Amino acid sequence: MSVPDIALETGVTIPQVGYGVFQIPPEQTQESVERALEAGYRHIDTAAGYGNEAGVGAAIRVSGLPREEVFVTTKLRNGDQGARTARQAFENSRELLGLDVVDLYLIHWPRPSRGQYVETWQVFEQLHAEGSIRAIGVSNFLPDHLAHLMEHAEVTPAVNQIEVHPSFAQPGTQQATREHGIVVEAYAPLGQAQDLAHAAVRSAAKAHGVSPAQVVLRWHLQQGTIVIPKSVTPERIRSNIDLFGFELSEPQMDAISSLDSDQRMFPDPQNADFD
Ligand SMILES: NC(=O)c1ccc[n+]([C@@H]2O[C@H](COP(=O)([O-])OP(=O)(O)OC[C@H]3O[C@@H](n4cnc5c(N)ncnc54)[C@H](OP(=O)(O)O)[C@@H]3O)[C@@H](O)[C@H]2O)c1
């Protein structure tokens, strides 16, 4: 399995396909992540808010893989934003993961109503300079949030992890992200499986002898996007990373892109105000 790497900053690359663990119960996480590592994933995406960082760390240790071969992302919970709280929150995540260094740390949501993402970013920059985090980034940032952050940032975010799937492609946010030199990372890349039933997806799947999920993931990859599909089903875990034996044609890419109906599944980041 040869998953391409995407360059984030000097000396830091991220595998373009990762394994997401949102909504995997803590007691199932170690086993699921072990399965993903066996299937060839070398990039795991968790968050403090998922409550399962300890299971991710345990699976990596049990796998026996050299630490530098597995790329680990976690995220700062909204309620921990702020100059006085972000560092301690990072230390808690680092301890639960059982890692000395986190590969990528993200501000989970901008939560603009609190006005704290710039001071939070400054804590991220310090942790990055100290070597505790290899790359720092953001998630759910809309163009205005990126523009405001960039006015104050010394380090450009490595990625913006946003909701992207065929029925919600966010072309404007993707473009603004790329214009700042930030890599787009698609969360809910399958639209939580709701984007798999479209005729354009199913007919491409039939044409290539692959699953609808493989078609949708391939659609992302051919646009240079990082994907982090989640599954607890062994066969899906395996097939969701088996994406390199076929290529979608331009008409197939266009047909899937035309499914965009601008309907979010997740909260609007401008108003998402939970802890
Ligand atoms: N930054 C953020 O705010 C944010 C928000 C949401 C998600 N994320 C990240 O993105 C990751 C992925 O997003 P997500 O979990 O919401 O959605 P997703 O990956 O788009 O979809 C997951 C759903 O699709 C099903 N599925 C997976 N592979 C399939 C296949 N081959 N065929 C049919 N169904 C399949 C899974 O079922 P089974 O598990 O039952 O197989 C699960 O119900 C998360 O785990 C998390 O790491 C980040």
Side-chain angles (χ1 to χ4, degrees):
M1 193 83 54
S2 170
V3 175
D5 281 329
I6 303 275
L8 295 183
E9 61 175 270
T10 312
V12 184
T13 59
I14 183 171
Q16 197 179 2
V17 183
Y19 179 68
V21 299
F22 177 46
Q23 291 176 324
I24 302 183
E27 63 280 8
Q28 273 181 37
T29 301
Q30 179 178 342
E31 188 192 344
S32 298
V33 175
E34 282 180 35
R35 225 171 233 147
L37 294 170
E38 278 162 25
Y41 294 80
R42 292 293 180 268
H43 161 190
I44 311 294
D45 184 89
T46 184
Y50 302 168
N52 56 17
E53 290 167 307
V56 171
I60 293 169
R61 280 190 296 286
V62 165
S63 76
L65 288 164
R67 169 66 189 95
E68 62 276 12
E69 283 187 22
V70 187
F71 189 101
V72 181
T73 301
T74 192
K75 314 185 190 85
L76 179 85
R77 213 191 274 273
N78 293 350
D80 287 326
Q81 279 203 34
R84 286 181 306 155
T85 43
R87 179 175 282 268
Q88 186 56 49
F90 171 74
E91 291 302 343
N92 294 347
S93 285
R94 172 151 77 167
E95 195 178 326
L96 284 166
L97 288 163
L99 299 176
D100 291 335
V101 175
V102 169
D103 296 289
L104 177 62
Y105 196 41
L106 307 181
I107 299 182
H108 206 148
W109 294 83
R111 207 184 192 186
S113 62
R114 289 290 186 97
Q116 285 180 313
Y117 62 77
V118 170
E119 64 181 68
T120 302
W121 187 250
Q122 285 158 354
V123 177
F124 275 44
E125 289 178 331
Q126 286 161 11
L127 290 162
H128 180 250
E130 291 163 17
S132 300
I133 310 171
R134 296 175 71 222
I136 52 179
V138 296
S139 179
N140 293 297
F141 273 46
L142 298 175
D144 285 355
H145 311 137
L146 289 174
H148 182 60
L149 182 63
M150 291 300 289
E151 282 170 24
H152 302 275
E154 282 179 20
V155 177
T156 299
V159 307
N160 187 16
Q161 185 182 115
I162 51 175
E163 180 181 348
V164 181
H165 42 85
S167 64
F168 188 65
Q170 298 210 63
T173 300
Q174 287 209 50
Q175 190 187 336
T177 299
R178 293 193 162 108
E179 278 172 6
H180 288 294
I182 301 169
V183 175
V184 175
E185 195 175 3
Y187 79 64
L190 305 172
Q192 295 207 312
Q194 290 179 45
D195 275 2
L196 304 180
H198 297 289
V201 172
R202 301 196 79 85
S203 76
K206 204 169 164 210
H208 291 283
V210 297
S211 70
Q214 286 171 306
V215 164
V216 170
L217 294 169
R218 185 73 211 184
W219 171 81
H220 288 284
L221 296 186
Q222 288 182 213
Q223 298 175 74
T225 304
I226 299 167
V227 290
I228 46 172
K230 169 264 176 187
S231 176
V232 293
T233 312
E235 176 46 33
R236 293 173 177 173
I237 292 175
R238 281 191 293 274
S239 62
N240 287 349
I241 197 176
D242 182 11
L243 305 171
F244 302 97
F246 70 104
E247 189 171 342
L248 299 175
S249 67
E250 219 173 294
Q252 288 168 335
M253 288 290 292
D254 290 346
I256 298 166
S257 297
S258 72
L259 299 172
D260 189 4
S261 59
D262 201 25
Q263 297 290 315
R264 293 180 184 283
M265 287 179 179
F266 285 82
D268 182 340
Q270 182 59 31
N271 310 316
D273 202 24
F274 49 87
D275 270 349

